[in-house]
Amino acid sequence: MPRTFVRARAALVAVLLLVVLAPVAEAAAGREPAPRAGTRPEGVAPAPDWTAPLSTRGRWIVDADGDRFKLRSGNWHGASGTWNGSGSPDADADHHAGENSGRMPLGLDRAPMAEIIAGFREIGINSIRLPFSNEMIHDSRPVTDGSVAANPSLRGMTPLQVYDVAVRELTAAGLAVILNNHTNTTRWCCGVDGNERWNASQSAETWENDWLLMARRYRNNQRVVGADLYNEVRRTILDDPNWGLGDNHDWFAASQRVGDRILTEADPDLLIIVEGINWTGIPVDGLPHERPTLEPARRLSHTLVDSGKLVYSAHFYDYTGPNHSGATGTGETSDPRYRDLSPAELIKVLDRQAFFVSAETNTHVTAPVWISEFGVGGRDETGNKQRAWFENFVDHLIRTDADFAYWPLVGRHENRKGNGWALLHWDSSGHRMGVYDGDDWRADAWTRLIAARGRTGPVEPVADWAMLSPDHGDFVASRRMRALPDWNSGARKAACPDGQRLLGLSHTGNRGLCSDVSTGPLRDPSRGHVVVVDERYVGPGNDWASGYTKLQCADGHFLTGYSVRGSAVSAALCAAAPVGRLGTAGRTVWFDRSDNRGPAAKGGDFAQGRYKGQCADDEYAAGIAYTARVGSARTPDALYCRELS
């Protein structure tokens, strides 16, 4: 390797470390003060009763009674680590903002847990994002007596046992808890620190097994409502994460797989929360770099084995930007930060990066979006841009009726000085300082946010739309088919979630679209499935695609899946419907030369840049046609769409 290249790479790595570590450290560190427990803002009622478990209906999270449950959350951090990664883990000065959490939720050295939790309720919080690290789960060292000085009953416990108590007490107080896998190792996040990916400092297998352990651990506690799979997925020194490439950096595939495993092997009641990608590229002017957040989900969205369990999430801070890592000084790029944008520009960027998920209804990507981190400095924040950004961001949360989680809830102070981002602070004598103590400029904005009147009450069921993407392997979203033997060995298989039917296919790219629109579940549970590999069910005189090979379901059956070998169709998966549910009149929908989805097609663009065909809402797909002529890749060319009875 030429020496000049080695020097260039070394310099680049040095810059990357400075650029990424500084911003993320500032970002991660910066999540600070919040309101104080004790003086509930006027108009904010106590958290109402709600019935677990939670699920989703379109863009809304609902409880078991079908009523909207808005996540008005905060982050109680600490169990994921506060050590900066250099110096002594035992020295407070070597922890972020001098706040040594002792490998537990912060503040237990200064305030009784009951007082801290009461504070959460008093400032209007109804749910807690509770970060943990994979290292913390397996850490057998007892916490120190000093780290639980205000909670002597916790002495001698391991960090995980303390986490157990926090979960128990939070939920006993009526709060919902979202488990958040924040880091691999127990140290401060989020730079080039060994915690960039779910598998940065550990194997993907370890990560998945740890999630199954945690989901099973709290399965009997119905107010543990969500699994927030991993925090701020980002670039290592040399490699980017990606969304759909099929390698071991593929965040889409990893989150899809572990989400399905949690639902099928551990706890089917949990919400599965998937954060977008926080950073790709090298943050140097002239080189490509960005914060993709949730934009990749528009072209490739998740389809879990259980509809109504997916929530997307994103993080926003004033000092980062759509192409700005947040760094200051060495390595800072010239890209605008979010605080540099006008209110109109900010809204446009926020909608593009995250809020479109809940704004665009009746698409494969439609889901609740939870802004699971945002925050700003408190009493000591004098910057006009920073303050204006926070006000504008709160306005957008209110405008969009979005679910949110402030970072962080708990911090330390001495003589009213400290890491001012938190909403609640305790000093070494146990005295509390909060956002409503009269000198915190954020109080009005926080009150507006907590007291904002968004949608409440019953949310009617809506049609589910789901994308199938067997790009690199099986994409079987059906619990039923997962439990049965391989129905087309050697092929990549795709199957709709139970209760949905196939309505659309792409000409190339292997993408499919499923829904339960207009009819609800259609399959007869007493009857099985049929794998079709030839034309045996094409009736006499019904050549609906002359000259093409037709994989057609038998009468009374409808398409729920397909398989491919390379790019070629290899089989159709058909399920039986109850007698009389399916009509026989049909039409051919060609999409080999252009899109053919109808003028009122729902579901969204499920195969960007590809030709697509789609049956109407009041139809079902009963067949796939392709050609084996010379030069053809045997990709789908047409769908046979029949009328529902």
Side-chain angles (χ1 to χ4, degrees):
M1 192 180 296
R3 288 186 181 178
T4 53
F5 177 81
V6 173
R7 291 196 192 102
R9 187 177 70 171
L12 186 60
V13 168
V15 170
L16 179 62
L17 282 167
L18 287 168
V19 176
V20 176
L21 273 172
V24 180
E26 179 187 338
R31 313 151 186 182
E32 304 169 45
R36 162 198 178 188
T39 327
R40 182 183 298 119
E42 184 178 353
V44 177
D49 290 335
W50 53 282
T51 307
L54 302 183
S55 58
T56 69
R57 290 182 177 176
R59 65 139 297 179
W60 308 104
I61 297 172
V62 298
D63 72 0
D65 296 324
D67 293 327
R68 197 270 174 100
F69 185 91
K70 182 173 182 175
L71 292 176
R72 299 193 309 272
S73 319
N75 286 269
W76 190 9
H77 77 298
S80 56
T82 51
W83 180 50
N84 285 325
S86 61
S88 171
D90 299 321
D92 291 356
D94 293 324
H95 288 251
H96 172 67
E99 297 178 332
N100 185 348
S101 68
R103 301 168 287 144
M104 300 170 292
L106 192 69
L108 299 178
D109 59 330
R110 299 185 168 209
M113 187 179 293
E115 180 181 330
I116 294 173
I117 293 173
F120 300 160
R121 292 291 301 269
E122 291 168 4
I123 61 174
I125 295 294
N126 67 6
S127 43
I128 298 295
R129 182 177 184 245
L130 196 61
F132 67 86
S133 74
N134 298 91
E135 183 181 17
M136 183 276 289
I137 295 173
H138 305 285
D139 193 341
S140 60
R141 296 171 297 155
V143 299
T144 65
D145 289 353
S147 66
V148 291
N151 294 269
S153 64
L154 303 179
R155 289 177 181 171
M157 291 187 179
T158 66
L160 181 56
Q161 289 170 334
V162 175
Y163 192 93
D164 289 340
V165 175
V167 170
R168 184 189 72 207
E169 296 305 308
L170 286 165
T171 55
L175 296 165
V177 169
I178 297 94
L179 310 174
N180 164 234
N181 186 191
H182 209 73
T183 52
N184 295 182
T185 63
T186 308
R187 60 166 291 182
W188 189 251
C189 174
C190 299
V192 182
D193 53 14
N195 295 307
E196 300 88 350
R197 296 190 312 274
W198 62 100
N199 57 354
S201 299
Q202 62 190 6
S203 68
E205 180 182 16
T206 296
W207 177 64
E208 292 182 15
N209 288 338
D210 282 351
W211 257 123
L212 297 181
L213 181 154
M214 293 294 278
R216 290 167 180 154
R217 190 175 188 89
Y218 306 110
R219 178 172 180 161
N220 293 328
N221 187 335
Q222 286 286 285
R223 290 185 184 264
V224 176
V225 299
D228 184 353
L229 299 181
Y230 202 71
N231 181 74
E232 296 191 8
V233 174
R234 57 198 180 277
R235 182 184 173 91
T236 59
I237 292 177
L238 297 176
D239 296 301
D240 282 329
N242 67 79
W243 191 283
L245 295 185
D247 58 17
N248 66 355
H249 296 174
D250 185 345
W251 174 230
F252 169 80
S255 53
Q256 174 79 36
R257 175 179 164 82
V258 79
D260 281 341
R261 290 197 69 191
I262 289 169
L263 292 172
T264 57
E265 301 177 40
D267 188 349
D269 289 336
L270 290 178
L271 295 174
I272 301 299
I273 300 167
V274 181
E275 187 180 333
I277 293 178
N278 193 62
W279 187 261
T280 61
I282 300 173
V284 174
D285 283 340
L287 296 176
H289 53 267
E290 63 173 334
R291 296 187 71 240
T293 52
L294 288 170
E295 291 186 70
R298 185 182 291 280
R299 60 174 176 79
L300 181 59
S301 63
H302 292 72
T303 297
L304 300 172
V305 292
D306 294 325
S307 300
K309 288 298 179 183
L310 175 68
V311 174
Y312 281 119
S313 74
H315 295 176
F316 292 101
Y317 293 97
D318 71 275
Y319 50 80
T320 58
N323 298 92
H324 202 304
S325 69
T328 56
T330 303
E332 181 176 5
T333 63
S334 59
D335 305 289
R337 303 172 191 262
Y338 291 115
R339 67 189 179 214
D340 297 324
L341 304 177
S342 69
E345 291 170 332
L346 179 63
I347 290 171
K348 185 176 181 180
V349 168
L350 294 176
D351 288 347
R352 186 190 79 224
Q353 291 198 298
F355 288 82
F356 73 91
V357 170
S358 58
E360 299 176 10
T361 59
N362 279 314
T363 76
H364 63 85
V365 75
T366 302
V369 64
W370 183 40
I371 306 304
S372 54
E373 285 188 26
F374 76 104
V376 72
R379 292 164 175 78
D380 294 332
E381 179 55 77
T382 59
N384 291 332
K385 284 188 174 183
Q386 289 86 337
R387 291 190 175 200
W389 172 84
F390 187 70
E391 298 280 357
N392 291 333
F393 190 77
V394 165
D395 286 344
H396 199 54
L397 290 174
I398 295 170
R399 182 184 302 114
T400 57
D401 198 5
D403 300 74
F404 60 85
Y406 186 90
W407 181 288
L409 287 175
V410 177
R412 290 180 173 181
H413 82 93
E414 292 298 335
N415 299 317
R416 306 186 73 77
K417 296 293 183 180
N419 180 11
W421 284 62
L423 295 175
L424 302 169
H425 296 80
W426 280 265
D427 68 14
S428 55
S429 299
H431 297 131
R432 187 178 64 190
M433 176 182 73
V435 73
Y436 292 117
D437 283 348
D439 58 348
D440 194 321
W441 64 272
R442 298 167 304 171
D444 289 344
W446 180 254
T447 300
R448 285 193 294 112
L449 179 59
I450 288 294
R453 300 305 180 190
R455 177 165 183 167
T456 59
V459 177
E460 293 300 316
V462 297
D464 289 314
W465 295 89
M467 173 190 285
L468 299 180
S469 53
D471 302 4
H472 307 288
D474 286 354
F475 201 94
V476 178
S478 163
R479 279 180 175 266
R480 180 175 178 276
M481 295 308 300
R482 282 174 172 237
L484 296 174
D486 191 336
W487 50 272
N488 195 212
S489 181
R492 304 194 311 280
K493 293 163 285 293
C496 296
D498 294 332
Q500 297 188 30
R501 65 190 189 276
L502 189 69
L503 276 180
L505 279 178
S506 63
H507 175 55
T508 57
N510 303 315
R511 296 293 168 81
L513 181 69
C514 306
S515 187
D516 58 359
V517 65
S518 77
T519 186
L522 197 57
R523 188 178 69 83
D524 184 344
S526 67
R527 303 165 68 187
H529 67 277
V530 177
V531 178
V532 178
V533 296
D534 54 33
E535 296 189 343
R536 70 184 63 190
Y537 298 115
V538 179
N542 188 33
D543 188 351
W544 51 272
S546 180
Y548 285 70
T549 301
K550 294 166 283 292
L551 305 181
Q552 181 179 330
C553 299
D555 289 348
H557 290 68
F558 61 97
L559 276 170
T560 61
Y562 55 96
S563 61
V564 295
R565 297 177 188 272
S567 58
V569 180
S570 62
L573 180 67
C574 304
V579 175
R581 292 292 303 275
L582 303 181
T584 57
R587 66 187 179 105
T588 304
V589 173
W590 293 97
F591 51 93
D592 56 332
R593 298 181 182 179
S594 63
D595 271 8
N596 191 355
R597 295 188 291 155
K602 304 183 187 75
D605 189 344
F606 61 93
Q608 284 195 359
R610 314 278 184 166
Y611 296 150
K612 296 163 286 290
Q614 186 172 329
C615 299
D617 291 356
D618 59 355
E619 295 178 325
Y620 67 96
I624 305 168
Y626 66 89
T627 180
R629 69 169 63 103
V630 175
S632 170
R634 294 179 53 189
T635 60
D637 293 307
L639 280 171
Y640 185 36
C641 300
R642 283 180 152 180
E643 297 175 355
L644 293 165
S645 293

